[in-house]
């Protein structure tokens, strides 16, 4: 069976990935999830890593058609955090046991290299035992180098889709697939633990494009990979498009785990938004990371990439105890650790 071969060789052809995708059934997904769990356990045991997600700005110069904070959304109430705000979030996160801070945001021109280097080097100095992850979109090679030198360790930049034509459906014409790929390659060369990723069920996506994504992930060998369902936002051109499937998302998580046993794989907020038990299902399918929101309460609702994004209650970092219990209840342990990628 193909799933077994994927587990053994960790490589398939595009056609074989396509066959696995078109052959999706709940039974096959369960079979893949069981194997993915065992593969994950051999590397990471029962450990789940926690990252504090700080959404630093919802200003964005880009106009990605799927995204709620795209520049042409005039109803988006814009904010950006100050250095002091961000450091306060880190302090809170550290006290809650988080040892990775993820600074994510729109492509906000306010965050020049100078501003970011100052913020990153201050976090580096104040929290020498923590990892700093950035997720701030496409920047120049020089900029990535400066941020790495300032002490950032990881960078998340989802490739969104590995099919160039499909990339053009999701993005305005001034954005390019080749630049996205160039950024990813540079990030890895510079030495960042690099994350790519995609939305499941984005408009225009087919099983062929998903097979391309799996093949790309196999070739790129990212250290991290974000896979979450697409969820429409009312103020975007894709407002009437259906959300992606949680079941298919979990199946993809299992396939990614099987092809790349050591990859850091989050059970995403989008999966938790689609289904209240989504993140648990993600963990049971092979994910090993959760990213609770550490942003100040006052801005949380404003970082609305898609409608009804969960941001309160158990989603909040302040409810870390509840998060720990939920992780424990599905058979895992939330650990206090930087959670770098481990060798197989
Ligand atoms: N500006 C940064 C961060 C983007 S937000 C960057 O370009 O990398 C992080 C991720 O959220 C995006 O990469 C995208 O995959 C996801 N996202 C955006 N809109 C979404 C939507 N409507 N549904 C689900 N995920 C979405």
């Amino acid at each position: 069976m193909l799933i077994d071969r994927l587990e053994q060789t960790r490589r398939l052809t595009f056609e074989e990935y396509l066959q696995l995708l078109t052959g999706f059934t709940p039974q096959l997904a369960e079979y893949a999830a069981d194997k993915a769990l065992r593969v994950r356990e051999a590397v990471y045991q029962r450990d789940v890593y926690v990252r504090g997600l700080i959404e630093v700005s919802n200003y964005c110069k880009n106009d990605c058609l799927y995204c709620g904070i795209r520049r042409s959304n005039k109803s988006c109430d814009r904010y950006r955090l100050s250095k002091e705000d961000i450091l306060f979030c880190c302090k809170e996160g550290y006290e809650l046991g988080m040892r990775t801070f993820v600074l994510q945001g729109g492509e906000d021109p306010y965050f020049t290299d100078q501003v970011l280097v100052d913020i990153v080097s201050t976090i580096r100095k104040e929290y020498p035992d923590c990892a700093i992850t950035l997720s701030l979109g496409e920047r120049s090679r020089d900029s990535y180098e400066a941020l790495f030198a300032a002490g950032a360790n990881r960078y998340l930049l989802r490739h969104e889709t590995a099919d160039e034509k499909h990339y053009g459906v999701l993005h305005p014409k001034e954005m390019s697939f080749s630049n996205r790929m160039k950024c990813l390659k540079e990030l890895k060369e510079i030495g960042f633990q690099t994350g790519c990723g995609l939305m499941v069920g984005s408009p225009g996506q087919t099983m062929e494009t998903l097979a391309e994504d799996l093949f790309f992930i196999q070739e790129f060998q990212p250290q991290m990979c974000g896979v979450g369902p697409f969820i429409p936002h009312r103020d975007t051109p894709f407002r009437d498009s259906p959300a992606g499937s949680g079941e298919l998302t979990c199946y993809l998580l299992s396939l990614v785990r099987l092809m790349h046993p050591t990859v850091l794989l989050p059970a995403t907020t989008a999966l938790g938004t689609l289904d209240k038990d989504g993140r648990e299902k993600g963990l049971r399918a092979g994910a090993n990371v959760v990213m609770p929101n550490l942003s100040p309460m006052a801005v949380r609702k404003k970082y609305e990439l898609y409608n009804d994004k969960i941001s309160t209650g158990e989603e909040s970092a302040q409810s870390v105890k509840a998060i720990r219990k939920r992780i424990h209840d599905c058979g895992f342990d939330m650990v206090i650790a930087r959670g770098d990628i481990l060798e197989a």
Side-chain angles (χ1 to χ4, degrees):
M1 209 162 114
L2 269 181
I3 298 267
D4 300 288
R5 196 140 60 73
L6 177 60
E7 183 193 12
Q8 284 149 21
T9 67
R10 300 172 193 171
R11 292 196 69 80
L12 293 178
T13 62
F14 165 82
E15 286 76 20
E16 289 167 333
Y17 281 123
L18 184 57
Q19 202 181 319
L20 277 181
L21 289 163
T22 53
F24 170 85
T25 59
Q27 292 73 23
L28 187 63
E30 204 179 304
Y31 185 76
D34 278 350
K35 285 205 173 284
L37 268 184
R38 260 179 281 146
V39 163
R40 165 220 199 285
E41 189 159 355
V43 186
Y44 292 102
Q45 289 83 47
R46 308 248 107 204
D47 292 358
V48 169
Y49 299 131
V50 196
R51 323 295 198 196
L53 181 62
I54 307 170
E55 296 158 335
V56 297
S57 172
N58 69 356
Y59 283 89
C60 193
K61 67 177 162 60
N62 283 338
D63 216 18
C64 307
L65 278 80
Y66 46 84
C67 186
I69 65 168
R70 66 201 299 265
R71 69 157 186 267
S72 32
N73 180 8
K74 301 292 178 242
S75 350
C76 178
D77 185 7
R78 307 283 169 173
Y79 75 91
R80 73 170 60 94
L81 301 185
S82 66
K83 178 183 175 185
E84 290 64 39
D85 293 333
I86 295 169
L87 286 167
F88 185 78
C89 293
C90 295
K91 180 171 179 286
E92 220 171 29
Y94 193 88
E95 284 164 5
L96 290 164
M98 294 169 186
R99 296 295 178 269
T100 290
F101 306 119
V102 183
L103 275 52
Q104 186 177 88
E107 293 194 21
D108 178 353
Y110 167 84
F111 286 104
T112 58
D113 292 349
Q114 203 191 347
V115 169
L116 280 174
V117 162
D118 176 42
I119 293 171
V120 169
S121 50
T122 307
I123 300 175
R124 175 49 57 240
K125 198 163 83 241
E126 292 190 16
Y127 301 94
D129 56 336
C130 293
I132 302 171
T133 304
L134 301 177
S135 178
L136 300 165
E138 297 176 13
R139 305 177 72 90
S140 69
R141 184 179 184 120
D142 286 351
S143 172
Y144 289 148
E145 280 173 353
L147 295 169
F148 188 72
N153 312 94
R154 309 190 188 124
Y155 205 104
L156 302 172
L157 184 72
R158 289 187 174 181
H159 63 286
E160 311 299 356
T161 171
D163 177 290
E164 182 156 14
K165 259 185 44 213
H166 184 222
Y167 192 91
V169 172
L170 300 178
H171 298 94
K173 56 181 177 315
E174 68 272 15
M175 286 180 75
S176 84
F177 178 72
S178 58
N179 196 52
R180 199 80 175 175
M181 290 294 159
K182 177 169 161 279
C183 289
L184 279 167
K185 190 166 151 274
E186 289 175 348
L187 287 163
K188 224 175 171 211
E189 283 168 5
I190 291 166
F192 279 104
Q193 294 176 43
T194 303
C196 64
L198 64 132
M199 293 173 286
V200 176
S202 61
Q205 185 180 72
T206 62
M207 289 301 173
E208 280 75 12
T209 44
L210 282 175
E212 290 274 11
D213 288 317
L214 288 172
F215 193 75
F216 168 74
I217 295 163
Q218 167 178 301
E219 298 304 303
F220 186 64
Q221 291 286 308
Q223 281 81 22
M224 307 169 283
C225 186
V227 181
F230 162 76
I231 300 175
H233 187 289
R234 72 181 86 78
D235 301 314
T236 66
F238 293 150
R239 62 181 66 84
D240 297 323
S241 301
S245 147
E247 287 70 33
L248 186 56
T249 301
C250 288
Y251 182 52
L252 280 158
L253 289 172
S254 300
L255 298 181
V256 173
R257 173 64 62 204
L258 289 172
M259 80 161 73
H260 190 357
T262 59
V263 73
L264 295 163
L265 207 54
T268 60
T269 307
L271 193 54
T273 297
L274 198 65
D275 171 346
K276 69 170 176 34
D277 302 322
R279 274 171 304 183
E280 283 80 353
K281 290 177 184 168
L283 292 176
R284 302 223 33 97
N288 65 332
V289 170
V290 292
M291 301 170 70
N293 198 320
L294 257 190
S295 310
M297 269 299 178
V299 304
R300 273 203 200 161
K301 285 213 181 333
K302 299 181 185 174
Y303 196 79
E304 199 187 27
L305 305 175
Y306 42 82
N307 285 149
D308 306 318
K309 181 166 160 273
I310 45 176
S311 63
T312 51
E314 293 202 358
E315 169 54 16
S316 74
Q318 287 72 6
S319 311
V320 156
K321 263 202 188 137
I323 296 174
R324 176 177 279 120
K325 181 169 186 312
R326 287 178 70 156
I327 291 173
H328 193 78
D329 288 349
C330 59
F332 302 101
D333 301 313
M334 188 185 115
V335 296
I336 297 183
R338 264 177 64 126
D340 290 297
I341 190 165
L342 297 180
E343 299 304 322

